[in-house]
Amino acid sequence: MSVELLNDLALFTLALLVGFEVISKIPATLHTPMMSGANSIHGVIVVGAVIIAGLADSPWAYVLAFFAAAFAAMNVVGGYVVTDRMLGMFKARPGSDKEDGK
Amino acid sequence: METLSTLDVIVRLTYLGAAVTFVLGLHMMGSPRTARRGNFLSAAGMAAAIIAAVVYLVSGEDPHLHVTTWGWVALAGGTVVGGLYGLISARVVEMTAMPQLVSLFNAVGGGAAALVATVDFMDRLAYDQSSMGAEFTVPVTLDILIGSVTFTGSLIAAGKLQGWVPGKPIVFVGSRLLTIVSALASLAAVVWVVADPTLMGLLLLVVAASLFGVLMVLPIGGADMPVVVSLLNAFTGLAVAMAGFVVDNDIMIIAGALVGASGSILTKLMADAMNRPISSIMVGGFGTGDGPADTSAGSGGEARLIGVDDVAIQLAYAEKVIIVPGYGLAAAQAQREAGDLGSMLEEKGISVYYAIHPVAGRMPGHMNVLLAEADVPYTQLKEMDDINPEFETADVALVVGANDVTNPAARRQGNTISGMPILDVDHARSIVVIKRSLGHGYAGLDNELYTDPKTGMFLGDAKTALSDLIAAVKQYAD
């Protein structure tokens, strides 16, 4: 087993644990935007699409690279925009905030 | 030890910085006050990571990476087309259609992960077969397996949520067998490619896994969608992390793992709230799927019917009202009316809260978004554990389109919903249920709440009933 793979595995495991810690503290009220936000984070696959654009050198590979870039860009742009739109709707009481929840 | 070039170091540090913004961004999602800034921070980190990747590609630092003219066309063209489509659909989507859009973004994320691994595989097959050991082929096959399943599975889920694919469980003759065969074929293809990396093996893997994704989601009923969408979200995260292993990229591994964790937690929370093990949900065939499931008219005990004026008087002279919105409210698109009624009562000095069960709506937390869009302040949106002690002091609990999650029978043993976490609506001093007819809920069980002497049944479509109620309460203006 190579050093790179072991490092990658360590990174993966620790990131999973951090994910569990952070996510379990998010209130149910925000679960939809949180899921949509997590959705935009996996849009990081756009980085992968950039890398493989440097590998593609056959017609088939160009087609696949095109779709990879299109899918990834749709994921990342749409994800962040829609999450922002949703979160913009969550407002505290307009005017008097006599009784704040928590 | 090999030393990295300055550019390489900067790119890697940028990835690390982006990973930090992702974690902080998720952390800030913990409160409505900071959530929007958190999302912005995460987006900024993402932009930095993408720019770093492009700079690295252009620099020619990595001898393996060389972009041809067509490569640029594919990358730029794809980014523009996909980015524009994502931007426009995110701008125009109705909040009720949010679950299918999130599902669609999830599908394309998984698809992109599978494509990334495929192109890398093809490249090595052509130029560098000696590098195709198990350390490469295992993450490649796992990436393509999970990515393909989540791509087709999420598309079917989105189709079900949109109504293009029937929401009810779809089971046909031999479908179970076909599901098992496609699963086994996928696993066999994984073994084949790891043992002997060929394009044929990879093709079999893509086809079998895509078929399995479709067959896995088809038999799952519409009301189980919160669980399925969460599970597929976790899958995409894992597929992206695997893609990170394939191209040896830290940020993809970290981001993928974060999403994998969040999807897993939501899956568990949703399954718990529905009181059913994940395995039973995934086998499917449960529930009738879409729309209010009020089909039968018969109900065990004597339900008391109540008219619009009675309900209006109760509400107008109450001090504390708890509105309990459920799946039926979302199906009838009556969230705006519910919000209007709530703010009208608020203006009369009545305390109004909304009790939100975890599975109300079509994806985790969906009801909160629908009500937030209807201008309900988030301070009035209460989670199950927070609101349950409040019912005892509530003058009126107004149930709109919620059924099983209010059924006191869940507290007893020996029925289909035993042990399911419910809202303690029956503890309120008076209960009004808005419902289309006296029928069963999703679990096919009589709701004991309806025959409670404190309960009045106000029959009607949620939207019309709430509109009538708003008009009637107006008459009692001070």
Side-chain angles (χ1 to χ4, degrees), chain B residues 41-57:
Chain B
L41 182 69
S42 170
M46 179 68 73
I50 295 170
I51 291 169
V54 173
V55 168
Y56 189 73
L57 183 68

Side-chain angles (χ1 to χ4, degrees), chain B residues 28-215:
Chain B
M28 289 164 81
M29 289 262 180
S31 153
R33 269 184 292 274
T34 55
R36 204 170 181 186
R37 262 180 289 142
N39 186 54
F40 191 77
L41 182 69
S42 170
M46 179 68 73
I50 295 170
I51 291 169
V54 173
V55 168
Y56 189 73
L57 183 68
V58 177
S59 73
E61 194 82 19
D62 188 332
H64 295 296
L65 299 180
H66 169 73
V67 200
T68 63
T69 311
W70 281 109
W72 280 120
V73 171
L75 180 59
T79 307
V80 170
V81 171
L84 274 180
Y85 185 84
L87 181 65
I88 293 166
S89 49
R91 280 273 173 80
V92 301
V93 65
E94 300 273 340
M95 286 301 136
T96 41
M98 187 57 65
Q100 47 268 49
L101 189 68
V102 170
S103 241
L104 180 65
F105 290 158
N106 196 51
V108 291
L115 289 170
V116 166
T118 307
V119 174
D120 200 333
F121 185 90
M122 287 165 65
D123 177 68
R124 295 202 193 203
L125 203 60
Y127 298 109
D128 191 13
Q129 295 201 9
S130 63
S131 72
M132 302 182 82
E135 287 199 10
F136 175 72
T137 50
V138 170
V140 162
T141 47
L142 287 180
D143 179 350
I144 296 178
L145 172 70
I146 306 170
S148 305
V149 168
T150 192
F151 179 65
T152 55
S154 299
L155 285 182
I156 297 290
K160 280 191 177 240
L161 290 161
Q162 180 73 35
W164 289 340
V165 179
K168 66 177 191 301
I170 299 173
V171 184
F172 51 89
V173 180
S175 67
R176 298 271 189 235
L177 184 68
L178 201 56
T179 310
I180 296 167
V181 169
S182 64
L184 290 177
S186 308
L187 294 178
V190 167
V191 175
W192 178 12
V193 174
V194 171
D196 175 28
T198 59
L199 217 46
M200 274 310 290
L202 202 73
L203 209 60
L204 173 68
L205 175 57
V206 171
V207 172
S210 302
L211 185 64
F212 176 70
V214 172
L215 293 171

